[in-house]
Amino acid sequence: MPTPGRKVAGQSLGEVLSLITSGAATTRADIARITGLARSTVTQRVDALIAHGFVDEDAVGGSTGGRPPRRLALRTREHTVAGVDLGASHCRVALLDIGGTLLTAQEDPLMIADGPQVVLRHVERTLHTLLKEAGRSPRTLRSIGVGVPGPVEFSTGRPVDPPIMPGWHRYPIPDFFDEHFGVRALVDNDVNVMALAEQRRAFSSTRYMLYIKVGTGIGCGIIADGRLHRGAQGSAGDIGHVRVGEREELCRCGNSGCLEAIAGGAALARRLTGLGLEAASGLDVVRLVREGNQDAIRMVRDAGRAVGDVLAGLVNFFNPETVVLGGALAAVHEQLLAGVREAIYRRSHPLATHLLHIEPSRTGENGAAIGAGILAVEHALSPEQVDRVVAGVVG
C-alpha cells in the first residue's frame, strides 16, 4: 500500500503510461500493485490510454481458467518523432518511432552558415521525404529534437552567440517547426544530444558520464545521475574555452590559450598546413593519421594530452564512472585516447580513477541525430505531455 501523505505514482494517465513504457508494469494487475490504486481507477486509466492510441493490450500465454492474462505495451505505429543533427557542414535527419526504434535516416551536405531559413527549409523537405519513405503520415509526428553546433538557451530553444552559426543568434527554431508541423521542437547543443545517445544506447547502466566531442571545436556533455545536466541556462560543459596552462594560441572566441585553439580539429589542420601538408579540417587530420603521417600522429596525441589535462580537473571534480570520446578526431581514437589517458591518470586523484573507464564513442555517425530523437521521445512520453495531449492541449 502507498505511504500516507505521499504522492502515488500513477495518479495521472501520463504516470501510468510511464510505468508501462519503463517495463515496470506490463498488466493492469501490475499497475494496481505498484500504485495501490483501485482496480476501477486502473481500468479508467488504461482504457483512456488505449482510446487515445498510446497503448495496445494483447492476450499472452495460456490460462489455467478464467480470463487469460493480457499484456500492455506502448503503441508505436501511430506515433513518430524526428531527430535533427545540424553540423557545420552537414544535416542528418533521423525518423524514429516513439519507442525509439530508428525507421530511416538521411544525411546531406549543408552549410550551417547559410542561415536558418535555408537550413530549416531543407530539414522540412527531408523530414517529409523520410515520413513518406517510412509510410508514416505527418500527422503521426509528435515531437522533434534538434542538435546544433553552438550554445543554446534550452528553455527557449534559441542559439546564443553561436560562433560558427552566423544569422542564428536568438533565432526561434521551435517556432519554425511549430508553424510547419504543429509540434514542439526541443533544441540543444549537439554535444548534449550526443551524450544522451551514448548513455541511453551504449552505456545504459552508467549514471555518471562525461561525453567529450573533439571535432572542429571541443565540448562536453554531462550525464549526472542518469540525466542530462545543462546548468542554469544551458551552457554547462563548454570546456573548449577553458584555458590550458600558459599557452597563447589565439581562439576564435577572442581569448588565447583555449583548449579548442590548441586541440580542436581546425587548429590541428592549420598547424599541419603550416608544415606543407594538405589539411583543411579535422577530417583531413584523421586522413593523415591513417596514412601514417608522423606529424599528424604526434599532434593528435599531444591534443589528447591537452584534452586530458582539462579532463583531469573534471574527473576530480565530478567523479564520473565513464569518459567517452567522440567527434571527428575520435575516429583515430588509439592516438587520441593514449594522450587523454596519460594526462588523466597522471593528474587525477587515484580514488577518482581506479574504476574509471575511458572509451571511444559507440553510437556511430547517427549518434547526434539519434540523441536528438531520444530528446523528442522523452518529451513526447513525459507524463506532463501525455496528460496535455489527452486533455486536448497542443504543446
Side-chain angles (χ1 to χ4, degrees):
M1 293 294 292
T3 303
R6 292 187 64 185
K7 188 176 186 299
V8 181
Q11 287 288 337
S12 76
L13 290 172
E15 290 168 337
V16 170
L17 183 62
S18 290
L19 293 174
I20 296 169
T21 57
S22 69
T26 59
T27 65
R28 296 181 187 229
D30 288 340
I31 296 171
R33 174 178 52 79
I34 292 168
T35 65
L37 295 174
R39 288 180 62 184
S40 59
T41 304
V42 172
T43 295
Q44 291 172 352
R45 300 280 194 272
V46 173
D47 287 351
L49 290 170
I50 292 172
H52 283 85
F54 282 108
V55 168
D56 286 321
E57 188 174 31
D58 300 310
V60 293
S63 174
T64 58
R67 189 173 180 177
R70 299 176 69 83
R71 181 182 60 198
L72 300 168
L74 178 68
R75 178 182 289 175
T76 60
R77 177 71 192 175
E78 288 87 5
H79 306 280
T80 55
V81 300
V84 181
D85 165 26
L86 298 178
S89 58
H90 76 267
C91 168
R92 186 179 287 111
V93 181
L95 188 69
L96 300 85
D97 69 28
I98 207 164
T101 299
L102 178 65
L103 301 175
T104 184
Q106 178 176 316
E107 179 180 355
D108 298 298
L110 186 68
M111 301 303 295
I112 196 78
D114 287 343
Q117 283 299 318
V118 171
V119 171
L120 296 180
R121 289 286 185 185
H122 178 87
V123 172
E124 178 193 5
R125 292 191 298 271
T126 302
L127 190 45
H128 277 295
T129 297
L130 295 180
L131 283 163
K132 184 176 181 180
E133 181 180 309
R136 305 292 175 102
S137 164
R139 292 192 301 274
T140 67
L141 196 61
R142 299 290 173 254
S143 184
I144 298 172
V146 184
V148 300
V152 175
E153 184 180 61
F154 183 73
S155 61
T156 65
R158 298 180 181 224
V160 179
D161 292 321
I164 65 170
M165 298 172 64
W168 290 81
H169 175 61
R170 292 285 177 188
Y171 187 85
I173 298 174
D175 291 358
F176 176 90
F177 291 104
D178 183 28
E179 177 184 348
H180 291 88
F181 291 97
V183 299
R184 170 82 181 276
L186 298 98
V187 186
D188 209 339
N189 179 265
D190 58 359
V191 72
N192 281 346
V193 297
M194 290 175 183
L196 192 62
E198 206 72 38
Q199 194 272 339
R200 298 291 193 269
R201 294 295 175 91
F203 296 92
S204 58
S205 64
T206 298
R207 306 293 293 173
Y208 295 88
M209 185 180 83
L210 297 177
Y211 177 91
I212 315 302
K213 176 192 174 187
V214 187
T216 299
I218 298 175
C220 176
I222 304 166
I223 300 292
D225 197 20
R227 298 186 178 191
L228 192 57
H229 174 74
R230 298 182 179 89
Q233 276 75 46
S235 66
D238 188 10
I239 66 170
H241 301 288
V242 171
R243 185 176 178 85
V244 179
E246 299 300 319
R247 303 284 289 265
E248 296 296 334
E249 289 90 336
L250 292 176
C251 181
R252 62 184 175 181
C253 73
N255 291 317
S256 60
C258 294
L259 179 61
E260 180 179 305
I262 294 163
L268 300 186
R270 283 193 298 272
R271 286 189 212 119
L272 289 168
T273 299
L275 296 177
L277 299 167
E278 291 187 12
S281 68
L283 294 178
D284 290 320
V285 177
V286 169
R287 172 181 54 79
L288 287 167
V289 170
R290 286 174 169 167
E291 291 174 354
N293 182 276
Q294 292 302 306
D295 289 316
I297 291 171
R298 173 181 52 79
M299 285 188 187
V300 168
R301 182 150 186 158
D302 286 346
R305 293 192 187 98
V307 172
D309 281 343
V310 172
L311 285 179
L314 299 182
V315 166
N316 284 331
F317 176 78
F318 182 63
N319 190 201
E321 301 163 72
T322 305
V323 172
V324 179
L325 265 72
L329 291 189
V332 286
H333 56 80
E334 295 89 349
Q335 291 79 13
L336 189 67
L337 280 171
V340 168
R341 287 177 173 137
E342 177 184 331
I344 287 179
Y345 288 119
R346 185 181 71 247
R347 298 179 61 88
S348 297
H349 193 280
L351 182 60
T353 58
H354 81 288
L355 294 177
L356 179 67
H357 298 279
I358 304 174
E359 306 284 345
S361 171
R362 299 177 185 174
T363 53
E365 61 182 11
N366 282 327
I370 294 294
I374 291 171
L375 194 67
V377 166
E378 294 185 353
H379 166 73
L381 291 179
S382 66
E384 299 80 9
Q385 179 62 13
V386 171
D387 291 340
R388 286 169 63 86
V389 170
V390 171
V393 179
V394 178

